[in-house]
Amino acid sequence: MLALPPPPSHRNQTTPPPPNRIIPSPQHAKLQTPSHKPPTIHLGKLSKDTILLHQPRKTHPLVWCGAIICLLFSLLIICFGVGTLVIFLVIKPRYPLFDIPSASLNAVYFDSPEYFNGDFSFLANFTNPNQKIDITFESSDISLFYSDKLIATQTIQTFSEKRKEMRMASIHMISSLVHLPPNLAVELLKAVQNNKIEYVVRGRFKVRAVVGSIHFNYWLTARCRVQMTGPPSGFLVARSCVTKR
């Protein structure tokens, strides 16, 4: 009986590559081999940074003080506005009135062509039209003008008026050696000859209003245009008065 030959070994046999296939070199194959090295995670450092990011910050005490001051200031403004609204709706304050019911022109003459002398007096009427407010005229300055030229001034002492009260005051205005431009001097002389002189009386008053325990101050201005006959017994012919704040 014949012995069979041993089976062929496949270890040293290599299959020849096809003619169209490119065989990469060992170095090139090593470069193209992907790296499967896992990334390194620094758990200790990451957890520390995470704790620092989530840690709440403390508010500075000055910030709290500023917020409290702003809140109190806002509440104060609101209370003041509400109080003012209540006063205007309930009390309905009105401004005092200034009027000139009568006046007399006693003298107008010139010492020289440009220096004027005059004597003018009038009765001033101060009226408090309020029903729930008492007022005090703390400062009262009255000026006399001829064609926007100041020719006399007078100051009235402090006085008070109750609700719905009216007060009369006699005002005497003396003009002594007041310089007038030549055109105004000629105009005034013609007005005296025509028996028609126009003066302007202006008043500036500091008023103090009192409502119970509440009081407040404000300024008033008054303007009266008066038309007089010629001196020495000139009297009031017409007037127009306006009082405003």
Side-chain angles (χ1 to χ4, degrees):
M1 185 174 185
L2 297 175
L4 295 175
S9 176
H10 299 284
R11 293 180 181 178
N12 296 327
Q13 292 183 359
T14 57
T15 305
N20 295 332
R21 182 178 178 182
I22 300 175
I23 302 175
S25 64
Q27 295 180 356
H28 184 71
K30 185 178 180 180
L31 292 175
Q32 289 184 350
T33 303
S35 177
H36 298 286
K37 185 178 179 181
T40 303
I41 301 176
H42 301 281
L43 295 176
K45 185 176 180 180
L46 181 61
S47 61
K48 185 177 179 181
D49 294 341
T50 306
I51 294 173
L52 290 177
L53 288 174
H54 289 283
Q55 184 178 3
R57 296 182 179 179
K58 294 182 179 180
T59 305
H60 199 277
L62 292 178
V63 177
W64 285 109
C65 293
I68 293 174
I69 292 174
C70 292
L71 177 62
L72 294 177
F73 185 70
S74 301
L75 292 176
L76 182 63
I77 292 178
I78 293 174
C79 293
F80 180 78
V82 172
T84 304
L85 181 62
V86 169
I87 290 176
F88 274 88
L89 292 179
V90 177
I91 301 178
K92 298 179 181 179
R94 298 172 59 187
Y95 298 137
L97 301 177
F98 175 81
D99 192 18
I100 300 178
S102 65
S104 61
L105 182 58
N106 304 314
V108 173
Y109 63 94
F110 288 82
D111 285 339
S112 66
E114 297 181 358
Y115 288 93
F116 159 75
N117 298 273
D119 187 341
F120 175 71
S121 59
F122 62 92
L123 191 64
N125 180 10
F126 298 89
T127 304
N128 179 12
N130 295 283
Q131 297 181 356
K132 300 179 180 180
I133 300 178
D134 300 331
I135 61 174
T136 300
F137 287 84
E138 296 184 343
S139 175
S140 303
D141 298 322
I142 297 177
S143 304
L144 182 65
F145 291 82
Y146 177 75
S147 187
D148 292 334
K149 173 66 176 178
L150 179 64
I151 59 177
T153 59
Q154 185 67 266
T155 300
I156 304 176
Q157 294 182 353
T158 302
F159 64 94
S160 300
E161 286 186 336
K162 298 295 183 181
R163 308 165 189 177
K164 305 295 292 183
E165 185 178 353
M166 181 179 61
R167 180 187 178 94
M168 296 288 187
S170 180
I171 311 297
H172 196 188
M173 313 289 284
I174 301 294
S175 304
S176 179
L177 296 177
V178 178
H179 179 268
L180 290 180
N183 59 330
L184 287 184
V186 173
E187 182 181 335
L188 180 56
L189 286 175
K190 290 182 178 180
V192 172
Q193 294 174 359
N194 295 330
N195 202 31
K196 184 180 179 181
I197 302 99
E198 288 189 357
Y199 284 157
V200 174
V201 179
R202 297 179 185 176
R204 180 172 172 81
F205 314 104
K206 183 180 180 181
V207 181
R208 179 185 180 91
V210 180
V211 186
S213 59
I214 303 174
H215 57 83
F216 52 92
N217 297 335
Y218 57 90
W219 287 91
L220 282 181
T221 57
R223 179 186 175 92
C224 289
R225 181 179 296 274
V226 296
Q227 181 179 333
M228 308 293 299
T229 60
S233 57
F235 57 88
L236 182 63
V237 176
R239 75 181 187 276
S240 175
C241 295
V242 177
T243 307
K244 61 182 180 179
R245 186 173 179 179

